[in-house]
Amino acid sequence: QVQLVESGGGLVQAGGSLRLSCAASGSIFHINAMGWYRQAPGKQRELVATITDAVNTNYADSVKGRFTISRDNAKNTVYLQMNRLKPEDTAVYYCNADIQGGSPVILVEYWGQGTQVTVSS
């Protein structure tokens, strides 16, 4: 059983910063790609940023230059540093990871429970 647990969300004023963390735990052999997605009220879930096990990163155009994704493989954790936040960044942020685990080892996509980020104007 694998779990993703997010932390770091909250309320911040426009122009401020937040750092999200997502830790994976359980029967883990290897974590491939990890990422962050977000869903605002009335909108579809969208990609924010991803990072591969080779540390290749990808960002949504709307967050390029403001957000930075990173990972600590020793801690099975992915981070999202969010700077210069805007009201339109308000959403529930979800952690995502492709994890090889279990016995026999299989590749499964996991999602966290989500953490609320609210940016006031």
Side-chain angles (χ1 to χ4, degrees):
Q1 191 76 8
V2 173
Q3 281 190 318
L4 299 180
V5 178
E6 299 132 333
S7 60
L11 173 64
V12 65
Q13 287 190 331
S17 298
L18 282 174
R19 188 193 195 205
L20 305 183
S21 300
C22 172
S25 63
S27 177
I28 297 171
F29 175 72
H30 180 73
I31 302 178
N32 296 357
M34 304 184 82
W36 291 94
Y37 291 72
R38 66 187 181 187
Q39 187 167 17
K43 295 188 177 181
Q44 289 189 330
R45 190 173 297 188
E46 63 177 4
L47 179 147
V48 177
T50 61
I51 183 167
T52 70
D53 51 1
V55 202
N56 295 311
T57 58
N58 180 51
Y59 295 92
D61 288 342
S62 60
V63 307
K64 282 181 181 176
R66 300 188 298 122
F67 291 9
T68 302
I69 190 170
S70 61
R71 61 190 285 172
D72 183 335
N73 292 328
K75 297 181 178 179
N76 290 333
T77 299
V78 62
Y79 305 96
L80 185 69
Q81 178 66 44
M82 304 185 293
N83 298 328
R84 303 200 316 270
L85 282 159
K86 304 175 181 180
E88 51 263 44
D89 294 319
T90 295
V92 177
Y93 283 69
Y94 295 91
C95 174
N96 172 273
D98 294 329
I99 298 175
Q100 299 178 44
S103 180
V105 175
I106 58 173
L107 179 65
V108 179
E109 180 184 38
Y110 292 92
W111 290 90
Q113 80 284 358
T115 185
Q116 178 69 46
V117 171
T118 303
V119 184
S120 63
S121 57

